[in-house]
Amino acid sequence: MDYKAAGAPKKGSNAPRHKEHNAPGSQKNPFGKRPTKEELVARLKAKAQAPKKA
């Protein structure tokens, strides 16, 4: 096989394939509106305590 003619592999781009509908900085989720860690922990604890759906 002639490896010299193969050329270098194409480097991939890190661009996402699509945009998230609620990405930070978008209209639905503007910058500076992130919840605090305490709010996140409280929400996770409430979710863990909620009754499971069948």
Side-chain angles (χ1 to χ4, degrees):
M1 180 161 181
D2 187 9
Y3 290 104
K4 185 179 131 198
K10 291 184 180 177
K11 195 170 187 176
S13 68
N14 288 335
R17 293 177 186 255
H18 62 279
K19 286 188 159 192
E20 292 292 332
H21 71 281
N22 60 348
S26 64
Q27 199 171 21
K28 289 186 179 182
N29 188 12
F31 285 124
K33 194 181 168 193
R34 290 181 184 248
T36 63
K37 189 166 186 174
E38 291 81 22
E39 290 172 343
L40 290 173
V41 170
R43 194 175 73 202
L44 288 172
K45 285 183 180 178
K47 182 77 171 176
Q49 295 296 329
K52 303 276 183 188
K53 292 185 179 179

Short mmCIF file of all heavy atoms in Angstrom, two decimals:
data_model
loop_
_atom_site.label_atom_id
_atom_site.label_comp_id
_atom_site.label_asym_id
_atom_site.label_seq_id
_atom_site.Cartn_x
_atom_site.Cartn_y
_atom_site.Cartn_z
N MET A 1 0.85 -1.18 0.00
CA MET A 1 0.00 0.00 0.00
C MET A 1 0.89 1.24 0.00
O MET A 1 1.90 1.29 0.67
CB MET A 1 -0.89 -0.01 1.23
CG MET A 1 -1.79 1.15 1.31
SD MET A 1 -3.15 0.83 2.42
CE MET A 1 -4.00 2.34 2.26
N ASP A 2 0.46 2.25 -0.72
CA ASP A 2 1.22 3.47 -0.83
C ASP A 2 0.72 4.46 0.23
O ASP A 2 -0.24 5.20 0.03
CB ASP A 2 1.05 4.05 -2.24
CG ASP A 2 1.96 5.25 -2.47
OD1 ASP A 2 2.83 5.49 -1.61
OD2 ASP A 2 1.80 5.91 -3.50
N TYR A 3 1.38 4.46 1.38
CA TYR A 3 0.94 5.32 2.48
C TYR A 3 1.22 6.79 2.19
O TYR A 3 0.56 7.66 2.75
CB TYR A 3 1.63 4.90 3.78
CG TYR A 3 1.14 3.57 4.29
CD1 TYR A 3 1.89 2.42 4.15
CD2 TYR A 3 -0.10 3.49 4.92
CE1 TYR A 3 1.43 1.21 4.62
CE2 TYR A 3 -0.57 2.27 5.39
CZ TYR A 3 0.19 1.14 5.24
OH TYR A 3 -0.26 -0.05 5.69
N LYS A 4 2.18 7.09 1.36
CA LYS A 4 2.51 8.47 1.05
C LYS A 4 1.35 9.18 0.34
O LYS A 4 1.08 10.35 0.57
CB LYS A 4 3.76 8.49 0.16
CG LYS A 4 4.27 9.88 -0.12
CD LYS A 4 5.52 9.82 -0.97
CE LYS A 4 5.33 10.78 -2.12
NZ LYS A 4 6.18 10.60 -3.22
N ALA A 5 0.63 8.47 -0.49
CA ALA A 5 -0.46 9.06 -1.25
C ALA A 5 -1.75 9.18 -0.43
O ALA A 5 -2.69 9.83 -0.86
CB ALA A 5 -0.73 8.22 -2.50
N ALA A 6 -1.78 8.56 0.74
CA ALA A 6 -3.01 8.56 1.53
C ALA A 6 -3.32 9.95 2.09
O ALA A 6 -4.47 10.32 2.22
CB ALA A 6 -2.90 7.56 2.68
N GLY A 7 -2.30 10.73 2.42
CA GLY A 7 -2.54 12.07 2.97
C GLY A 7 -2.84 12.00 4.46
O GLY A 7 -3.05 10.94 5.03
N ALA A 8 -2.85 13.13 5.06
CA ALA A 8 -3.11 13.21 6.50
C ALA A 8 -4.61 13.09 6.76
O ALA A 8 -5.43 13.52 5.94
CB ALA A 8 -2.59 14.53 7.03
N PRO A 9 -4.98 12.52 7.88
CA PRO A 9 -6.42 12.44 8.20
C PRO A 9 -6.97 13.84 8.45
O PRO A 9 -6.26 14.73 8.94
CB PRO A 9 -6.46 11.61 9.48
CG PRO A 9 -5.10 11.67 10.04
CD PRO A 9 -4.16 11.88 8.90
N LYS A 10 -8.23 14.04 8.09
CA LYS A 10 -8.86 15.33 8.28
C LYS A 10 -9.18 15.53 9.76
O LYS A 10 -9.72 14.64 10.41
CB LYS A 10 -10.15 15.43 7.47
CG LYS A 10 -9.89 15.48 5.99
CD LYS A 10 -11.16 15.68 5.22
CE LYS A 10 -10.87 15.73 3.73
NZ LYS A 10 -12.09 15.86 2.95
N LYS A 11 -8.83 16.68 10.26
CA LYS A 11 -9.07 16.98 11.65
C LYS A 11 -10.53 17.38 11.82
O LYS A 11 -11.05 18.21 11.06
CB LYS A 11 -8.15 18.12 12.08
CG LYS A 11 -8.05 18.29 13.56
CD LYS A 11 -6.95 19.25 13.91
CE LYS A 11 -6.76 19.26 15.41
NZ LYS A 11 -5.65 20.10 15.80
N GLY A 12 -11.20 16.81 12.80
CA GLY A 12 -12.59 17.12 13.04
C GLY A 12 -12.76 18.47 13.71
O GLY A 12 -11.85 18.97 14.37
N SER A 13 -13.90 19.07 13.51
CA SER A 13 -14.18 20.34 14.18
C SER A 13 -14.96 20.05 15.45
O SER A 13 -15.69 19.06 15.55
CB SER A 13 -14.97 21.26 13.26
OG SER A 13 -16.27 20.74 13.05
N ASN A 14 -14.84 20.93 16.40
CA ASN A 14 -15.56 20.75 17.65
C ASN A 14 -16.91 21.46 17.65
O ASN A 14 -17.47 21.69 18.70
CB ASN A 14 -14.70 21.27 18.82
CG ASN A 14 -13.54 20.36 19.11
OD1 ASN A 14 -13.60 19.18 18.81
ND2 ASN A 14 -12.48 20.89 19.67
N ALA A 15 -17.40 21.80 16.50
CA ALA A 15 -18.69 22.47 16.41
C ALA A 15 -19.81 21.46 16.70
O ALA A 15 -19.77 20.33 16.22
CB ALA A 15 -18.88 23.05 15.02
N PRO A 16 -20.78 21.84 17.51
CA PRO A 16 -21.88 20.92 17.79
C PRO A 16 -22.74 20.69 16.55
O PRO A 16 -22.82 21.54 15.66
CB PRO A 16 -22.68 21.63 18.88
CG PRO A 16 -22.31 23.06 18.76
CD PRO A 16 -20.92 23.10 18.22
N ARG A 17 -23.39 19.56 16.51
CA ARG A 17 -24.23 19.22 15.36
C ARG A 17 -25.54 20.02 15.37
O ARG A 17 -26.19 20.19 14.36
CB ARG A 17 -24.55 17.73 15.35
CG ARG A 17 -23.33 16.89 15.10
CD ARG A 17 -23.68 15.42 15.16
NE ARG A 17 -22.48 14.62 15.06
CZ ARG A 17 -22.14 13.95 13.97
NH1 ARG A 17 -22.90 13.99 12.91
NH2 ARG A 17 -21.04 13.25 13.94
N HIS A 18 -25.98 20.44 16.53
CA HIS A 18 -27.22 21.21 16.63
C HIS A 18 -27.12 22.14 17.83
O HIS A 18 -26.22 22.03 18.64
CB HIS A 18 -28.41 20.28 16.80
CG HIS A 18 -28.34 19.47 18.06
ND1 HIS A 18 -27.59 18.32 18.16
CD2 HIS A 18 -28.90 19.66 19.27
CE1 HIS A 18 -27.69 17.84 19.38
NE2 HIS A 18 -28.47 18.63 20.08
N LYS A 19 -28.06 23.07 17.94
CA LYS A 19 -28.11 23.98 19.07
C LYS A 19 -29.15 23.48 20.06
O LYS A 19 -30.21 23.00 19.67
CB LYS A 19 -28.51 25.38 18.62
CG LYS A 19 -27.42 26.13 17.89
CD LYS A 19 -27.85 27.55 17.66
CE LYS A 19 -26.64 28.41 17.43
NZ LYS A 19 -26.98 29.83 17.48
N GLU A 20 -28.83 23.62 21.33
CA GLU A 20 -29.79 23.25 22.36
C GLU A 20 -30.88 24.31 22.44
O GLU A 20 -30.62 25.49 22.26
CB GLU A 20 -29.09 23.13 23.71
CG GLU A 20 -28.11 21.97 23.79
CD GLU A 20 -28.80 20.63 23.75
OE1 GLU A 20 -29.96 20.52 24.19
OE2 GLU A 20 -28.17 19.68 23.27
N HIS A 21 -32.10 23.89 22.74
CA HIS A 21 -33.20 24.84 22.79
C HIS A 21 -33.12 25.72 24.02
O HIS A 21 -33.71 26.80 24.06
CB HIS A 21 -34.54 24.10 22.75
CG HIS A 21 -34.85 23.35 24.01
ND1 HIS A 21 -34.29 22.13 24.30
CD2 HIS A 21 -35.63 23.66 25.07
CE1 HIS A 21 -34.72 21.72 25.47
NE2 HIS A 21 -35.52 22.62 25.96
N ASN A 22 -32.40 25.29 25.06
CA ASN A 22 -32.30 26.09 26.28
C ASN A 22 -30.84 26.31 26.66
O ASN A 22 -30.48 26.29 27.82
CB ASN A 22 -33.04 25.40 27.41
CG ASN A 22 -32.49 24.02 27.70
OD1 ASN A 22 -31.70 23.48 26.92
ND2 ASN A 22 -32.88 23.43 28.79
N ALA A 23 -30.00 26.54 25.67
CA ALA A 23 -28.57 26.75 25.92
C ALA A 23 -28.35 28.04 26.68
O ALA A 23 -29.10 29.01 26.50
CB ALA A 23 -27.82 26.79 24.60
N PRO A 24 -27.33 28.09 27.56
CA PRO A 24 -27.05 29.35 28.27
C PRO A 24 -26.74 30.47 27.28
O PRO A 24 -26.00 30.29 26.34
CB PRO A 24 -25.80 29.01 29.10
CG PRO A 24 -25.80 27.53 29.23
CD PRO A 24 -26.45 27.01 27.99
N GLY A 25 -27.37 31.61 27.50
CA GLY A 25 -27.19 32.75 26.61
C GLY A 25 -28.27 32.85 25.56
O GLY A 25 -28.32 33.82 24.81
N SER A 26 -29.16 31.87 25.50
CA SER A 26 -30.25 31.94 24.52
C SER A 26 -31.40 32.77 25.11
O SER A 26 -31.35 33.23 26.24
CB SER A 26 -30.74 30.54 24.16
OG SER A 26 -31.30 29.91 25.28
N GLN A 27 -32.44 32.93 24.34
CA GLN A 27 -33.56 33.75 24.77
C GLN A 27 -34.29 33.09 25.95
O GLN A 27 -34.74 33.77 26.86
CB GLN A 27 -34.53 33.94 23.60
CG GLN A 27 -35.47 35.10 23.77
CD GLN A 27 -36.24 35.37 22.50
OE1 GLN A 27 -36.36 34.49 21.65
NE2 GLN A 27 -36.74 36.56 22.35
N LYS A 28 -34.40 31.76 25.94
CA LYS A 28 -35.09 31.07 27.02
C LYS A 28 -34.26 30.98 28.30
O LYS A 28 -34.80 30.79 29.37
CB LYS A 28 -35.46 29.64 26.58
CG LYS A 28 -36.55 29.59 25.55
CD LYS A 28 -36.95 28.16 25.28
CE LYS A 28 -38.07 28.09 24.27
NZ LYS A 28 -38.50 26.71 24.04
N ASN A 29 -32.92 31.06 28.16
CA ASN A 29 -32.04 30.92 29.31
C ASN A 29 -30.92 31.95 29.22
O ASN A 29 -29.80 31.62 28.86
CB ASN A 29 -31.49 29.48 29.34
CG ASN A 29 -30.73 29.19 30.59
OD1 ASN A 29 -30.77 29.93 31.55
ND2 ASN A 29 -30.02 28.09 30.59
N PRO A 30 -31.21 33.21 29.55
CA PRO A 30 -30.19 34.25 29.40
C PRO A 30 -29.04 34.07 30.38
O PRO A 30 -29.17 33.40 31.39
CB PRO A 30 -30.96 35.53 29.65
CG PRO A 30 -32.17 35.14 30.39
CD PRO A 30 -32.47 33.73 30.03
N PHE A 31 -27.91 34.70 30.08
CA PHE A 31 -26.75 34.63 30.97
C PHE A 31 -27.08 35.28 32.31
O PHE A 31 -27.88 36.19 32.40
CB PHE A 31 -25.55 35.35 30.35
CG PHE A 31 -24.90 34.58 29.24
CD1 PHE A 31 -24.75 35.13 28.00
CD2 PHE A 31 -24.41 33.29 29.47
CE1 PHE A 31 -24.14 34.43 26.98
CE2 PHE A 31 -23.80 32.58 28.45
CZ PHE A 31 -23.67 33.14 27.21
N GLY A 32 -26.46 34.81 33.36
CA GLY A 32 -26.67 35.36 34.68
C GLY A 32 -27.91 34.85 35.36
O GLY A 32 -28.31 35.34 36.40
N LYS A 33 -28.54 33.84 34.81
CA LYS A 33 -29.78 33.33 35.37
C LYS A 33 -29.61 31.88 35.84
O LYS A 33 -30.57 31.14 35.94
CB LYS A 33 -30.88 33.41 34.30
CG LYS A 33 -32.28 33.24 34.83
CD LYS A 33 -33.29 33.31 33.73
CE LYS A 33 -34.64 32.85 34.23
NZ LYS A 33 -35.58 32.62 33.18
N ARG A 34 -28.37 31.47 36.11
CA ARG A 34 -28.14 30.10 36.56
C ARG A 34 -28.54 29.95 38.03
O ARG A 34 -28.29 30.84 38.83
CB ARG A 34 -26.68 29.73 36.39
CG ARG A 34 -26.28 29.58 34.96
CD ARG A 34 -24.84 29.17 34.85
NE ARG A 34 -24.46 29.13 33.44
CZ ARG A 34 -24.17 28.00 32.81
NH1 ARG A 34 -24.17 26.87 33.43
NH2 ARG A 34 -23.86 28.03 31.53
N PRO A 35 -29.14 28.82 38.39
CA PRO A 35 -29.51 28.61 39.79
C PRO A 35 -28.27 28.38 40.65
O PRO A 35 -27.24 27.92 40.16
CB PRO A 35 -30.39 27.35 39.75
CG PRO A 35 -30.02 26.67 38.49
CD PRO A 35 -29.58 27.74 37.53
N THR A 36 -28.40 28.69 41.93
CA THR A 36 -27.28 28.47 42.84
C THR A 36 -27.14 26.99 43.16
O THR A 36 -28.05 26.20 42.91
CB THR A 36 -27.49 29.25 44.15
OG1 THR A 36 -28.65 28.74 44.79
CG2 THR A 36 -27.64 30.74 43.89
N LYS A 37 -26.01 26.62 43.74
CA LYS A 37 -25.77 25.22 44.08
C LYS A 37 -26.78 24.74 45.12
O LYS A 37 -27.23 23.60 45.07
CB LYS A 37 -24.34 25.05 44.58
CG LYS A 37 -23.95 23.61 44.75
CD LYS A 37 -22.48 23.46 44.93
CE LYS A 37 -22.12 21.99 44.95
NZ LYS A 37 -20.69 21.77 44.99
N GLU A 38 -27.13 25.60 46.06
CA GLU A 38 -28.10 25.22 47.09
C GLU A 38 -29.46 24.91 46.47
O GLU A 38 -30.14 23.96 46.88
CB GLU A 38 -28.25 26.34 48.13
CG GLU A 38 -27.03 26.54 49.01
CD GLU A 38 -25.95 27.36 48.34
OE1 GLU A 38 -26.24 28.13 47.40
OE2 GLU A 38 -24.78 27.22 48.76
N GLU A 39 -29.86 25.70 45.49
CA GLU A 39 -31.14 25.44 44.81
C GLU A 39 -31.10 24.12 44.07
O GLU A 39 -32.08 23.35 44.07
CB GLU A 39 -31.46 26.57 43.85
CG GLU A 39 -31.81 27.88 44.52
CD GLU A 39 -31.94 29.03 43.52
OE1 GLU A 39 -31.44 28.90 42.39
OE2 GLU A 39 -32.53 30.06 43.90
N LEU A 40 -29.97 23.83 43.41
CA LEU A 40 -29.85 22.58 42.67
C LEU A 40 -29.89 21.38 43.60
O LEU A 40 -30.58 20.38 43.32
CB LEU A 40 -28.53 22.56 41.86
CG LEU A 40 -28.46 23.52 40.69
CD1 LEU A 40 -27.06 23.51 40.10
CD2 LEU A 40 -29.46 23.13 39.63
N VAL A 41 -29.18 21.46 44.73
CA VAL A 41 -29.17 20.35 45.70
C VAL A 41 -30.57 20.14 46.27
O VAL A 41 -31.03 19.01 46.41
CB VAL A 41 -28.13 20.62 46.80
CG1 VAL A 41 -28.26 19.63 47.93
CG2 VAL A 41 -26.73 20.58 46.23
N ALA A 42 -31.26 21.23 46.58
CA ALA A 42 -32.62 21.11 47.11
C ALA A 42 -33.55 20.47 46.10
O ALA A 42 -34.38 19.62 46.44
CB ALA A 42 -33.14 22.50 47.50
N ARG A 43 -33.40 20.84 44.83
CA ARG A 43 -34.25 20.25 43.79
C ARG A 43 -33.96 18.76 43.62
O ARG A 43 -34.88 17.94 43.46
CB ARG A 43 -34.03 20.99 42.48
CG ARG A 43 -35.09 20.68 41.44
CD ARG A 43 -34.90 21.52 40.22
NE ARG A 43 -33.74 21.03 39.48
CZ ARG A 43 -33.05 21.74 38.62
NH1 ARG A 43 -33.35 22.98 38.38
NH2 ARG A 43 -32.03 21.21 37.99
N LEU A 44 -32.67 18.38 43.67
CA LEU A 44 -32.31 16.97 43.54
C LEU A 44 -32.83 16.15 44.71
O LEU A 44 -33.30 15.02 44.54
CB LEU A 44 -30.79 16.82 43.42
CG LEU A 44 -30.19 17.28 42.10
CD1 LEU A 44 -28.67 17.27 42.20
CD2 LEU A 44 -30.63 16.37 40.97
N LYS A 45 -32.74 16.71 45.93
CA LYS A 45 -33.24 16.00 47.11
C LYS A 45 -34.75 15.82 47.03
O LYS A 45 -35.29 14.77 47.37
CB LYS A 45 -32.86 16.75 48.38
CG LYS A 45 -31.41 16.59 48.74
CD LYS A 45 -31.09 17.29 50.05
CE LYS A 45 -29.64 17.12 50.40
NZ LYS A 45 -29.28 17.82 51.64
N ALA A 46 -35.46 16.85 46.57
CA ALA A 46 -36.91 16.76 46.43
C ALA A 46 -37.28 15.71 45.39
O ALA A 46 -38.23 14.95 45.57
CB ALA A 46 -37.49 18.12 46.05
N LYS A 47 -36.50 15.66 44.32
CA LYS A 47 -36.76 14.66 43.26
C LYS A 47 -36.53 13.25 43.79
O LYS A 47 -37.27 12.31 43.47
CB LYS A 47 -35.85 14.96 42.08
CG LYS A 47 -36.03 14.06 40.90
CD LYS A 47 -37.25 14.42 40.12
CE LYS A 47 -37.27 13.63 38.83
NZ LYS A 47 -38.47 13.86 38.05
N ALA A 48 -35.50 13.06 44.63
CA ALA A 48 -35.19 11.75 45.18
C ALA A 48 -36.26 11.30 46.17
O ALA A 48 -36.56 10.12 46.28
CB ALA A 48 -33.83 11.78 45.87
N GLN A 49 -36.88 12.25 46.87
CA GLN A 49 -37.90 11.92 47.86
C GLN A 49 -39.28 11.73 47.25
O GLN A 49 -40.16 11.17 47.86
CB GLN A 49 -37.97 13.03 48.92
CG GLN A 49 -36.72 13.18 49.75
CD GLN A 49 -36.40 11.97 50.58
OE1 GLN A 49 -37.31 11.27 51.02
NE2 GLN A 49 -35.11 11.71 50.77
N ALA A 50 -39.48 12.21 46.05
CA ALA A 50 -40.80 12.12 45.39
C ALA A 50 -41.15 10.67 45.12
O ALA A 50 -40.28 9.83 44.87
CB ALA A 50 -40.76 12.89 44.07
N PRO A 51 -42.44 10.33 45.21
CA PRO A 51 -42.82 8.94 44.94
C PRO A 51 -42.57 8.57 43.49
O PRO A 51 -42.74 9.38 42.58
CB PRO A 51 -44.32 8.93 45.24
CG PRO A 51 -44.76 10.35 45.22
CD PRO A 51 -43.56 11.19 45.55
N LYS A 52 -42.12 7.36 43.29
CA LYS A 52 -41.79 6.88 41.95
C LYS A 52 -43.06 6.56 41.18
O LYS A 52 -44.03 6.04 41.72
CB LYS A 52 -40.92 5.62 42.03
CG LYS A 52 -39.67 5.79 42.81
CD LYS A 52 -38.60 6.36 41.94
CE LYS A 52 -37.31 6.46 42.72
NZ LYS A 52 -36.29 7.16 42.06
N LYS A 53 -43.06 6.89 39.89
CA LYS A 53 -44.17 6.54 39.02
C LYS A 53 -43.96 5.12 38.51
O LYS A 53 -42.85 4.70 38.24
CB LYS A 53 -44.28 7.51 37.85
CG LYS A 53 -44.69 8.89 38.26
CD LYS A 53 -44.89 9.77 37.05
CE LYS A 53 -45.33 11.15 37.45
NZ LYS A 53 -45.51 12.03 36.31
N ALA A 54 -45.05 4.41 38.34
CA ALA A 54 -44.96 3.01 37.89
C ALA A 54 -44.65 2.86 36.46
O ALA A 54 -44.49 3.52 35.61
CB ALA A 54 -46.26 2.29 38.18
#
